[in-house]
Amino acid sequence: MTHLQSLAASIRVIQNSYKMQMAENVTRNTFQFTLALQPVLFTLLSVGIYRFAGKPDLSLYGIIGSGLIGMWNANLWTSGFIVQGERWSGTLELLLATPSSLMVVLFGKSLSNASASLGAIFITFLTGALVFRVPLAIEDPLGFFVGLILTLLALTTLGLVLGTLFVLTRAAGNMTQVLNYPIFILSGLTFPITTLPLWTRPLSWALAPSWGSQALGQAAGLSDEALMPAFLWLIVLALIYFLIGLVAYRRIERIARAKGGLQEF
Amino acid sequence: MQHKRRTSISLELRHNLRVFWSASLGSFSNFLAEYSPAVFFGTAVPRYILQSAFFVLLARFAGGPELMRFSLLGNAVQIAANMGLVNMVSVVESEKWIGTLPLLIAVPSNKLPALIGRGVANMIEGLVGIGFALGAGMLLFGAVFVPLRLLMALPLILLVITSIFGLGLLIGAITLPLRIGTLTSNAMAYIMMVICGVNFPISGLPEWLQSITRLIPMTNGLMAVRQVVDGANYRTVLPLIGYEILVGFVCYVLGYLVFEARLRTARQRGTIELF
């Protein structure tokens, strides 16, 4: 098989796993809740707290942060359950044994979750406009759109890393629950990371949602800083996550093949 | 005749207590099977602490130390409330997933002691969760609570959790023929975080919503908890306690009636297996 044929085959696998995941998501109540209702409730909570505390000017920041929380939830939650779902259905080993790489399948599925999770941003903006009458004037719509796509890409690759690591554990569900809030805290999604101790700063910088929040906030006009550094960080992080995912996947695949299965994990 | 009736009531009570005890033991066995020490301390405890820390930091940023303290207490109680709500619903829902619902329907005993008993371990877990969330919040963010006042508020916290179990029973019963019980209870837990005075006082809500939220378990109880923690005596918060008991009681009665009605309909139509 030539490189071109192999690439075409991988794209076909991504396309089909994307479609398959989308079909599963459409019928899954949990995903619908995570995508549609949770962003509304987080917006009500964060903007409600700002307004109660007499800081309505922070409403747009709260809306963008809640949207990213929604995107993250839809991404991480479902990525955790992609592997768990395959394991429960008894198809994980079969997927690993197929000539197509499991990582390509996971990428297609993570991309599907990530693109669906874009709806969360739309829902939070709608909630802000309808409930709190927040004027939704985005200063730089093009920058906002580019920031959103880059954030999406970085979240997909991060979802891929987690999805790959979840192959080795049956506690993926518990782990996703534990991982959610530290990410929200460290990424400064609803309060600035400057309110956190200084030693947490490198952890925040290593997380794509931090830069996503920064990029979207800047594009919306919440600060005057240049957009480009945040964009570059998102690209670099997406590449790093992808490489980590690739290395982790190869190692896991080797372990699984050496042990003749994944039953013991 | 009167003696005979008294004996029969006493026997019934003893029987129900036995069912409750046995279900409670079952709930502890389930809990221990699900949570090994590693899973409990590695996933559950961090979750209690981090979930509450997120909202506490948000409140501190928005409203300073006073709102932070408000949010810490609210979110600590909310952890237990959430657990009670979600687990009570899953107690009802799990009967059908495990396939034991037809057996539960067939037994001659009252179902209520069995259902409530199945949630006892989660009630204890909720109290432990409050301890971890409050302790960590006090250590990490310097929030000040007088430990004795917290202890004094413990019966009220138990009351809040108990009345929320009633709401869980009601949601579980309403959603029994559907497959969205856990989801509904999760959504309700989030809604309660917004409107029940967990993160900001209910005075921050529109007036029409304030009246509605007083009809939901936890709102009145949490207000009473806050006042007792801040130095009020029980006599001052008696009306709030009364409201909480009333709201919780109504939830239990409605939950039980709906559950029985659901089972009756299922028996008549022969649709128990379709739940």
Side-chain angles (χ1 to χ4, degrees):
Chain A
M1 196 185 261
T2 64
H3 283 303
L4 206 63
Q5 278 174 323
S6 157
L7 184 70
S10 293
I11 289 172
R12 208 167 47 245
V13 173
I14 290 173
Q15 208 176 1
N16 285 324
S17 47
Y18 182 98
K19 266 198 256 176
M20 174 90 181
Q21 185 66 18
M22 196 59 92
E24 277 180 25
N25 285 342
V26 168
T27 55
R28 192 178 297 154
N29 291 330
T30 319
F31 186 78
Q32 289 155 15
F33 167 72
T34 312
L35 188 65
L37 197 57
Q38 225 177 24
V40 173
L41 295 168
F42 266 99
T43 310
L44 294 178
L45 257 176
S46 58
V47 181
I49 292 174
Y50 292 144
R51 298 216 153 199
F52 175 78
K55 291 182 176 167
D57 49 316
L58 289 171
S59 299
L60 189 56
Y61 172 55
I63 289 171
I64 292 174
S66 302
L68 283 168
I69 287 176
M71 278 175 76
W72 172 259
N73 272 337
N75 225 311
L76 173 79
W77 197 260
T78 37
S79 294
F81 282 98
I82 289 171
V83 172
Q84 191 136 308
E86 300 291 354
R87 196 194 296 277
W88 283 346
S89 314
T91 45
L92 189 59
E93 279 89 354
L94 297 176
L95 267 179
L96 198 69
T98 55
S100 307
S101 160
L102 174 62
M103 197 179 178
V104 177
V105 176
L106 285 178
F107 183 78
K109 290 188 166 221
S110 295
L111 191 65
S112 169
N113 291 337
S115 51
S117 73
L118 272 181
I121 282 275
F122 174 74
I123 289 167
T124 52
F125 270 80
L126 197 66
T127 309
L130 292 177
V131 180
F132 298 108
R133 309 259 173 236
V134 178
L136 303 176
I138 301 291
E139 212 174 79
D140 177 1
L142 182 66
F144 193 86
F145 179 73
V146 174
L148 206 55
I149 297 300
L150 290 177
T151 306
L152 184 75
L153 189 71
L155 286 183
T156 306
T157 47
L158 186 52
L160 189 67
V161 173
L162 295 169
T164 307
L165 294 176
F166 288 156
V167 173
L168 290 182
T169 175
R170 283 171 193 253
N174 283 328
M175 283 169 77
T176 47
Q177 284 184 18
V178 179
L179 278 173
N180 264 348
Y181 284 99
I183 304 286
F184 300 163
I185 292 171
L186 289 168
S187 301
L189 298 181
T190 53
F191 47 85
I193 54 172
T194 48
T195 58
L196 300 173
L198 204 60
W199 61 264
T200 60
R201 222 47 60 77
L203 297 172
S204 299
W205 292 334
L207 291 169
S210 308
W211 297 102
S213 165
Q214 204 166 310
L216 298 182
Q218 283 159 1
L222 296 176
S223 82
D224 296 330
E225 285 172 57
L227 273 170
M228 205 42 83
F231 284 176
L232 285 175
W233 268 106
L234 283 169
I235 295 168
V236 168
L237 282 176
L239 283 171
I240 292 174
Y241 294 152
F242 183 76
L243 287 175
I244 293 173
L246 195 68
V247 171
Y249 173 73
R250 287 201 175 139
R251 186 159 291 182
I252 287 166
E253 192 184 29
R254 211 174 311 132
I255 294 172
R257 286 185 196 280
K259 289 188 182 286
L262 289 163
Q263 290 87 347
E264 69 180 85
F265 298 111
Chain B
M1 183 76 173
Q2 214 170 13
H3 173 71
K4 223 174 180 181
R5 192 180 299 156
R6 217 176 292 145
T7 317
S8 142
I9 291 172
S10 147
L11 276 175
E12 181 80 9
L13 193 69
R14 269 171 51 195
H15 172 72
N16 283 337
L17 279 174
R18 208 169 52 241
V19 172
F20 174 77
W21 178 245
S22 159
S24 305
L25 289 180
S27 83
F28 280 106
S29 305
N30 274 352
F31 180 82
L32 292 174
E34 194 181 342
Y35 285 104
S36 65
V39 172
F40 183 72
F41 288 101
T43 62
V45 173
R47 201 174 66 231
Y48 309 143
I49 295 171
L50 292 164
Q51 181 182 328
S52 129
F54 171 72
F55 290 105
V56 167
L57 283 164
L58 172 59
R60 185 175 71 174
F61 170 64
E66 206 178 314
L67 191 59
M68 177 193 82
R69 190 174 178 275
F70 185 93
S71 172
L72 176 58
L73 188 58
N75 280 289
V77 176
Q78 164 67 19
I79 286 172
N82 189 1
M83 226 171 270
L85 184 65
V86 175
N87 286 310
M88 197 62 205
V89 175
S90 60
V91 160
V92 178
E93 206 173 49
S94 65
E95 296 290 349
K96 64 181 176 191
W97 288 112
I98 301 167
T100 45
L101 191 64
L103 301 175
L104 187 71
I105 293 169
V107 294
S109 307
N110 185 336
K111 311 322 179 258
L112 199 58
L115 292 172
I116 299 174
R118 290 274 307 276
V120 166
N122 297 113
M123 195 183 268
I124 309 288
E125 187 196 357
L127 285 178
V128 173
I130 291 179
F132 275 110
L134 271 180
M138 287 163 77
L139 277 175
L140 293 171
F141 309 115
V144 181
F145 291 103
V146 179
L148 187 67
R149 300 299 314 180
L150 286 174
L151 273 178
M152 280 177 71
L154 194 63
L156 289 177
I157 294 173
L158 271 172
L159 171 67
V160 171
I161 300 174
T162 309
S163 71
I164 282 182
F165 264 53
L167 180 64
L169 181 69
L170 178 60
I171 294 177
I174 291 172
T175 57
L176 189 63
L178 310 167
R179 309 239 154 166
I180 53 165
T182 308
L183 205 65
T184 311
S185 61
N186 265 310
M188 189 64 202
Y190 274 105
I191 291 169
M192 286 166 77
M193 283 179 92
V194 182
I195 64 170
C196 290
V198 173
N199 286 289
F200 54 87
I202 60 167
S203 59
L205 298 169
E207 260 174 48
W208 61 268
L209 190 55
Q210 287 181 35
S211 321
I212 294 175
T213 194
R214 298 292 294 269
L215 302 175
I216 300 174
M218 187 162 89
T219 308
N220 300 293
L222 186 54
M223 275 155 59
V225 169
R226 289 189 194 283
Q227 290 187 25
V228 168
V229 167
D230 286 340
N233 60 35
Y234 268 64
R235 200 179 300 155
T236 325
V237 296
L238 218 50
L240 290 171
I241 297 174
Y243 272 128
E244 187 69 23
I245 292 173
L246 183 68
V247 170
F249 180 73
V250 168
C251 283
Y252 273 104
V253 171
L254 282 178
Y256 185 67
L257 290 177
V258 174
F259 190 70
E260 282 292 325
R262 293 280 196 217
L263 297 193
R264 209 169 33 246
T265 315
R267 267 196 216 107
Q268 281 163 356
R269 295 186 184 162
T271 53
I272 292 167
E273 279 82 8
L274 296 181
F275 277 169

